[in-house]
Amino acid sequence: MGVHAASDHHELVYPNDPLYSRISAGKVGMWLFLLSDGFSFGGLLLAYGILRGSSDYWGCLTNEVATKFGCVVEPILGINFTAVLTFVLICSSVSMVMAHAAAVDGDRQGTIRWLLATIAGGVLFLLGQYHEYWGLLPHAGLLNEGLNFGKSHYATTFYCITGFHGMHVTTGVLYLTAVLIGTVMNKTDANTIEVVGLFWHFVDLVWILVFTFIYLIPYG
Amino acid sequence: MAKKKKRTDKGGSTEAKAPEKKAAPKPAEDDVDEDSGPRPSASSSSSKDDDKDADHDHGDDDHDHDEDEHRPAPKARAPHAAHAAHHDAHHHKPDRKEYVRIWVYLAVLTVLEVGVAYLEPVVGKTAVVTALVGLALSKAGIVALYYMHLKHESKFMRYTVGFPMVFPALYAFILIAEGAYRAVWGDS
């Protein structure tokens, strides 16, 4: 079965596979990448769970714990601020599907607007993460408050997992920007938007799990 | 014939690619405007025209969707293959109302999660952890099914993505069970 250029624009017509139907090679490739990436996050979260489950205490969060185990007090992770960041990612996910819907309709201006909104959401999330780590005035930031990489499992797993996710958000913003430029130059199609969307939604999906396991599950 | 050709060009449809259609030169009036927007992809899982085809094809007894010469003849196909074709992903049209509805669900579930996280002193840690994990998995599932369009992919595509994810979950379950065993009965 071959792949045909169906029009002067070289739209690809994929063979109608009996099991997978007409799915593009780019989409299959992205899904396979996301599966491997999902295992990476799965490994990190499992390691986090094992370390947390086998620790006598998780985070040197009170003076009582500090006295008992001889550790330096560490800050508690803020839930409310991170919940706002979660909402920002959810909003960027809906703008991403809207970009795809606009692309399917052949609405280039709409696609550009929604892609810009998605990129803005990603940048806002990264700013929030920067604020959480280093602090924008007048907030001190976790690093300045004593949550230091390598000092405890609590700190190290936090930075490894949220940092790995932050790298994905950064990659997603760059990927979206490249697709946006391609769309402005009329060099993308709905499939391009859908494939970048898969990556972006995956970043959102993983954050949902990270938010729950790292921030929400009680320490006690 | 002319109507069919226009449909193919505008919607980027993957359906009804008769051999003569591919070979025939395109009339100028059917050309897609260069500035009209991103080219609707032939491989996209969505198009208006495909949706129309879906409405039509779903009424067929043999579940055959097009005249593609590259597909095996209906009689030669296994039943599961015909079923997969029936669920051809390209028949899904983006539903903006559904997207907004999902966004509202996700936002509400997030608020619920934050609220549940503060309930530990009242209901206990086990109940809170169970509720939080359930809410997180629900949210992740909603994103995968609706925003990543898994719901509209073929059954085998869903298996390809979903089945491998069972193993990390199984491993986590084994670790939790082992930890619980040690907590109750000790290391011996």
Side-chain angles (χ1 to χ4, degrees):
Chain A
M1 291 198 285
V3 175
H4 310 279
S7 74
D8 293 347
H9 291 295
H10 306 292
E11 290 165 13
L12 295 177
V13 178
Y14 291 90
N16 195 2
D17 186 88
L19 299 184
Y20 292 93
S21 77
R22 291 187 198 279
I23 188 166
S24 76
K27 203 164 152 184
V28 173
M30 179 54 79
W31 266 116
L32 291 179
F33 167 73
L34 294 182
L35 268 178
S36 67
D37 216 15
F39 287 131
S40 299
F41 274 106
L44 283 173
L45 289 173
L46 280 169
Y48 167 82
I50 292 165
L51 287 170
R52 186 167 167 175
S54 59
S55 298
D56 292 327
Y57 65 94
W58 190 248
C60 195
L61 304 178
T62 62
N63 288 325
E64 202 178 9
V65 172
T67 307
K68 187 176 177 184
F69 294 101
C71 55
V72 179
V73 174
E74 295 171 308
I76 296 173
L77 304 175
I79 290 179
N80 295 341
F81 177 72
T82 324
V84 173
L85 293 185
T86 306
F87 183 69
V88 168
L89 269 194
I90 290 170
C91 291
S92 75
S93 256
V94 77
S95 62
M96 187 67 245
V97 281
M98 291 299 188
H100 175 242
V104 169
D105 289 346
D107 174 10
R108 186 150 66 110
Q109 292 306 317
T111 308
I112 290 169
R113 275 196 299 275
W114 286 116
L115 281 176
L116 278 171
T118 309
I119 291 168
V123 170
L124 205 59
F125 181 90
L126 288 173
L127 279 174
Q129 200 163 33
Y130 180 90
H131 171 67
E132 187 185 29
Y133 282 17
W134 286 283
L136 299 166
L137 289 175
H139 184 68
L142 290 171
L143 281 163
N144 296 322
E145 290 173 352
L147 190 68
N148 296 312
F149 187 89
K151 292 292 182 188
S152 67
H153 289 329
Y154 171 67
T156 303
T157 52
F158 169 77
Y159 285 119
C160 275
I161 295 172
T162 59
F164 191 50
H165 179 267
M167 280 166 52
H168 278 73
V169 179
T170 308
T171 306
V173 167
L174 293 173
Y175 185 7
L176 281 165
T177 306
V179 170
L180 173 69
I181 292 167
T183 305
V184 169
M185 295 168 73
N186 205 17
K187 288 184 175 177
T188 61
D189 60 17
N191 184 56
T192 316
I193 308 295
E194 188 174 21
V195 171
V196 69
L198 283 176
F199 182 80
W200 191 252
H201 297 310
F202 175 78
V203 168
D204 180 25
L205 187 154
V206 166
W207 180 254
I208 287 168
L209 301 176
V210 169
F211 177 54
T212 297
F213 291 112
I214 305 285
Y215 292 87
L216 292 180
I217 289 185
Y219 298 128
Chain B
M1 177 67 192
K3 190 180 175 185
K4 271 194 177 179
K5 183 166 183 58
K6 186 171 183 180
R7 184 199 66 147
T8 301
D9 292 339
K10 268 188 83 176
S13 171
T14 59
E15 307 297 335
K17 302 290 186 301
E20 69 274 16
K21 214 182 290 176
K22 289 172 194 159
K26 256 178 31 168
E29 63 271 22
D30 285 343
D31 284 348
V32 176
D33 183 2
E34 283 289 333
D35 293 327
S36 65
R39 300 188 300 275
S41 167
S43 62
S44 165
S45 67
S46 318
S47 90
K48 285 178 181 176
D49 304 316
D50 288 341
D51 202 46
K52 286 174 192 168
D53 282 350
D55 293 339
H56 170 72
D57 290 335
H58 284 194
D60 292 353
D61 289 333
D62 64 355
H63 296 227
D64 201 3
H65 285 197
D66 59 38
E67 313 157 20
D68 195 336
E69 63 176 342
H70 300 282
R71 284 177 54 183
K75 282 180 184 174
R77 282 187 285 151
H80 65 268
H83 187 66
H86 178 72
H87 286 286
D88 192 326
H90 309 284
H91 293 158
H92 172 61
K93 177 179 181 285
D95 183 346
R96 288 175 170 83
K97 282 182 182 171
E98 183 181 77
Y99 292 156
V100 172
R101 206 162 49 239
I102 295 299
W103 172 68
V104 171
Y105 291 160
L106 291 172
V108 168
L109 288 174
T110 302
V111 171
L112 207 59
E113 275 184 321
V114 175
V116 166
Y118 286 107
L119 285 179
E120 191 206 357
V122 182
V123 298
K125 189 176 178 182
T126 306
V128 167
V129 171
T130 307
L132 285 174
V133 171
L135 286 167
L137 292 179
S138 304
K139 284 170 69 180
I142 288 172
V143 169
L145 285 173
Y146 292 93
Y147 282 177
M148 299 175 90
H149 304 141
L150 263 188
K151 186 170 185 279
H152 304 290
E153 298 293 354
S154 70
K155 184 174 67 179
F156 286 88
M157 186 64 203
R158 289 201 295 273
Y159 289 165
T160 303
V161 173
F163 186 65
M165 284 293 131
V166 170
F167 292 98
L170 187 65
Y171 186 41
F173 175 78
I174 291 168
L175 288 172
I176 291 167
E178 193 246 4
Y181 178 87
R182 284 177 190 278
V184 176
W185 286 287
D187 289 333
S188 59

Short mmCIF file of all heavy atoms in Angstrom, two decimals, chain A residues 82-111:
data_model
loop_
_atom_site.label_atom_id
_atom_site.label_comp_id
_atom_site.label_asym_id
_atom_site.label_seq_id
_atom_site.Cartn_x
_atom_site.Cartn_y
_atom_site.Cartn_z
N THR A 82 0.44 26.27 43.07
CA THR A 82 0.62 25.24 42.04
C THR A 82 -0.72 24.86 41.41
O THR A 82 -0.76 24.48 40.23
CB THR A 82 1.28 23.99 42.64
OG1 THR A 82 2.21 24.40 43.63
CG2 THR A 82 1.99 23.20 41.60
N ALA A 83 -1.80 24.97 42.20
CA ALA A 83 -3.13 24.70 41.62
C ALA A 83 -3.43 25.72 40.52
O ALA A 83 -4.03 25.38 39.50
CB ALA A 83 -4.19 24.75 42.72
N VAL A 84 -2.99 26.95 40.73
CA VAL A 84 -3.19 27.99 39.71
C VAL A 84 -2.39 27.62 38.45
O VAL A 84 -2.88 27.75 37.32
CB VAL A 84 -2.77 29.38 40.24
CG1 VAL A 84 -2.82 30.42 39.13
CG2 VAL A 84 -3.67 29.79 41.40
N LEU A 85 -1.16 27.14 38.65
CA LEU A 85 -0.35 26.71 37.50
C LEU A 85 -1.02 25.55 36.77
O LEU A 85 -0.98 25.46 35.54
CB LEU A 85 1.05 26.29 37.96
CG LEU A 85 1.96 27.38 38.52
CD1 LEU A 85 3.34 26.81 38.81
CD2 LEU A 85 2.06 28.56 37.57
N THR A 86 -1.62 24.64 37.53
CA THR A 86 -2.34 23.52 36.93
C THR A 86 -3.48 24.04 36.05
O THR A 86 -3.68 23.56 34.93
CB THR A 86 -2.91 22.59 38.02
OG1 THR A 86 -1.85 22.21 38.90
CG2 THR A 86 -3.56 21.37 37.46
N PHE A 87 -4.19 25.02 36.59
CA PHE A 87 -5.30 25.60 35.82
C PHE A 87 -4.79 26.27 34.53
O PHE A 87 -5.42 26.18 33.48
CB PHE A 87 -6.05 26.61 36.70
CG PHE A 87 -7.23 27.22 36.03
CD1 PHE A 87 -8.36 26.45 35.75
CD2 PHE A 87 -7.24 28.55 35.65
CE1 PHE A 87 -9.46 27.00 35.12
CE2 PHE A 87 -8.34 29.11 35.01
CZ PHE A 87 -9.45 28.33 34.74
N VAL A 88 -3.63 26.91 34.63
CA VAL A 88 -3.04 27.54 33.45
C VAL A 88 -2.77 26.48 32.38
O VAL A 88 -3.07 26.68 31.19
CB VAL A 88 -1.73 28.29 33.83
CG1 VAL A 88 -0.94 28.68 32.59
CG2 VAL A 88 -2.05 29.53 34.66
N LEU A 89 -2.22 25.34 32.79
CA LEU A 89 -1.94 24.27 31.81
C LEU A 89 -3.23 23.71 31.21
O LEU A 89 -3.28 23.40 30.02
CB LEU A 89 -1.15 23.14 32.48
CG LEU A 89 0.38 23.22 32.42
CD1 LEU A 89 0.99 21.89 32.82
CD2 LEU A 89 0.90 23.62 31.06
N ILE A 90 -4.25 23.59 32.05
CA ILE A 90 -5.54 23.09 31.54
C ILE A 90 -6.09 24.07 30.49
O ILE A 90 -6.59 23.66 29.44
CB ILE A 90 -6.54 22.91 32.70
CG1 ILE A 90 -6.12 21.73 33.58
CG2 ILE A 90 -7.96 22.68 32.18
CD1 ILE A 90 -6.91 21.61 34.87
N CYS A 91 -5.97 25.36 30.78
CA CYS A 91 -6.43 26.37 29.82
C CYS A 91 -5.64 26.28 28.51
O CYS A 91 -6.20 26.41 27.42
CB CYS A 91 -6.29 27.78 30.41
SG CYS A 91 -7.44 28.10 31.75
N SER A 92 -4.33 26.03 28.64
CA SER A 92 -3.52 25.94 27.42
C SER A 92 -3.87 24.67 26.63
O SER A 92 -3.71 24.63 25.42
CB SER A 92 -2.03 25.99 27.75
OG SER A 92 -1.62 24.77 28.30
N SER A 93 -4.35 23.66 27.34
CA SER A 93 -4.77 22.44 26.62
C SER A 93 -6.02 22.70 25.80
O SER A 93 -6.14 22.23 24.67
CB SER A 93 -5.05 21.32 27.63
OG SER A 93 -4.01 20.39 27.64
N VAL A 94 -6.96 23.45 26.38
CA VAL A 94 -8.19 23.72 25.61
C VAL A 94 -7.87 24.65 24.44
O VAL A 94 -8.43 24.49 23.34
CB VAL A 94 -9.32 24.27 26.52
CG1 VAL A 94 -9.16 25.71 26.87
CG2 VAL A 94 -10.68 24.08 25.84
N SER A 95 -6.95 25.58 24.61
CA SER A 95 -6.59 26.44 23.48
C SER A 95 -5.89 25.63 22.39
O SER A 95 -6.02 25.93 21.20
CB SER A 95 -5.72 27.62 23.94
OG SER A 95 -4.51 27.16 24.48
N MET A 96 -5.18 24.57 22.81
CA MET A 96 -4.50 23.70 21.83
C MET A 96 -5.52 22.95 20.96
O MET A 96 -5.38 22.88 19.74
CB MET A 96 -3.62 22.72 22.59
CG MET A 96 -2.73 21.87 21.72
SD MET A 96 -1.44 22.79 20.89
CE MET A 96 -1.91 22.60 19.18
N VAL A 97 -6.55 22.39 21.60
CA VAL A 97 -7.55 21.67 20.79
C VAL A 97 -8.34 22.64 19.91
O VAL A 97 -8.77 22.29 18.82
CB VAL A 97 -8.53 20.81 21.64
CG1 VAL A 97 -7.89 19.52 22.07
CG2 VAL A 97 -9.10 21.55 22.81
N MET A 98 -8.51 23.87 20.40
CA MET A 98 -9.18 24.88 19.57
C MET A 98 -8.32 25.23 18.34
O MET A 98 -8.85 25.47 17.26
CB MET A 98 -9.44 26.14 20.39
CG MET A 98 -10.49 25.96 21.48
SD MET A 98 -12.10 25.49 20.79
CE MET A 98 -13.13 25.60 22.25
N ALA A 99 -7.00 25.24 18.53
CA ALA A 99 -6.10 25.50 17.39
C ALA A 99 -6.25 24.39 16.36
O ALA A 99 -6.31 24.66 15.15
CB ALA A 99 -4.66 25.58 17.88
N HIS A 100 -6.35 23.16 16.85
CA HIS A 100 -6.52 22.03 15.93
C HIS A 100 -7.86 22.12 15.21
O HIS A 100 -7.95 21.91 13.99
CB HIS A 100 -6.40 20.70 16.69
CG HIS A 100 -6.68 19.52 15.83
ND1 HIS A 100 -7.72 18.66 16.06
CD2 HIS A 100 -6.08 19.07 14.71
CE1 HIS A 100 -7.73 17.72 15.12
NE2 HIS A 100 -6.74 17.95 14.30
N ALA A 101 -8.91 22.47 15.97
CA ALA A 101 -10.24 22.59 15.35
C ALA A 101 -10.22 23.67 14.26
O ALA A 101 -10.80 23.49 13.18
CB ALA A 101 -11.28 22.92 16.42
N ALA A 102 -9.55 24.79 14.55
CA ALA A 102 -9.46 25.87 13.56
C ALA A 102 -8.69 25.39 12.33
O ALA A 102 -9.05 25.71 11.19
CB ALA A 102 -8.78 27.09 14.18
N ALA A 103 -7.63 24.61 12.57
CA ALA A 103 -6.83 24.10 11.44
C ALA A 103 -7.65 23.16 10.58
O ALA A 103 -7.55 23.18 9.35
CB ALA A 103 -5.59 23.40 11.97
N VAL A 104 -8.46 22.34 11.21
CA VAL A 104 -9.33 21.41 10.46
C VAL A 104 -10.30 22.20 9.59
O VAL A 104 -10.60 21.82 8.46
CB VAL A 104 -10.08 20.47 11.43
CG1 VAL A 104 -11.18 19.70 10.70
CG2 VAL A 104 -9.11 19.49 12.08
N ASP A 105 -10.77 23.32 10.13
CA ASP A 105 -11.69 24.17 9.37
C ASP A 105 -10.98 25.02 8.31
O ASP A 105 -11.62 25.76 7.58
CB ASP A 105 -12.45 25.11 10.33
CG ASP A 105 -13.45 24.34 11.17
OD1 ASP A 105 -13.73 23.18 10.83
OD2 ASP A 105 -13.94 24.90 12.17
N GLY A 106 -9.65 24.96 8.29
CA GLY A 106 -8.90 25.77 7.33
C GLY A 106 -8.83 27.23 7.74
O GLY A 106 -8.58 28.10 6.90
N ASP A 107 -9.04 27.52 9.01
CA ASP A 107 -9.02 28.90 9.52
C ASP A 107 -7.61 29.21 10.04
O ASP A 107 -7.30 28.97 11.20
CB ASP A 107 -10.08 29.03 10.63
CG ASP A 107 -10.04 30.38 11.31
OD1 ASP A 107 -9.34 31.29 10.82
OD2 ASP A 107 -10.71 30.53 12.36
N ARG A 108 -6.79 29.77 9.17
CA ARG A 108 -5.39 29.99 9.55
C ARG A 108 -5.25 31.04 10.65
O ARG A 108 -4.46 30.88 11.57
CB ARG A 108 -4.58 30.41 8.32
CG ARG A 108 -3.08 30.51 8.62
CD ARG A 108 -2.27 30.19 7.40
NE ARG A 108 -2.47 31.18 6.38
CZ ARG A 108 -1.55 32.06 6.01
NH1 ARG A 108 -0.37 32.07 6.57
NH2 ARG A 108 -1.78 32.93 5.06
N GLN A 109 -6.02 32.13 10.54
CA GLN A 109 -5.94 33.18 11.57
C GLN A 109 -6.34 32.63 12.93
O GLN A 109 -5.72 32.93 13.94
CB GLN A 109 -6.82 34.37 11.19
CG GLN A 109 -6.34 35.14 9.96
CD GLN A 109 -4.89 35.59 10.10
OE1 GLN A 109 -4.47 36.06 11.15
NE2 GLN A 109 -4.11 35.41 9.03
N GLY A 110 -7.40 31.84 12.92
CA GLY A 110 -7.85 31.22 14.18
C GLY A 110 -6.78 30.29 14.74
O GLY A 110 -6.51 30.30 15.95
N THR A 111 -6.18 29.52 13.87
CA THR A 111 -5.12 28.60 14.32
C THR A 111 -3.98 29.39 14.95
O THR A 111 -3.47 29.03 16.02
CB THR A 111 -4.57 27.79 13.12
OG1 THR A 111 -5.66 27.19 12.44
CG2 THR A 111 -3.61 26.72 13.58
#
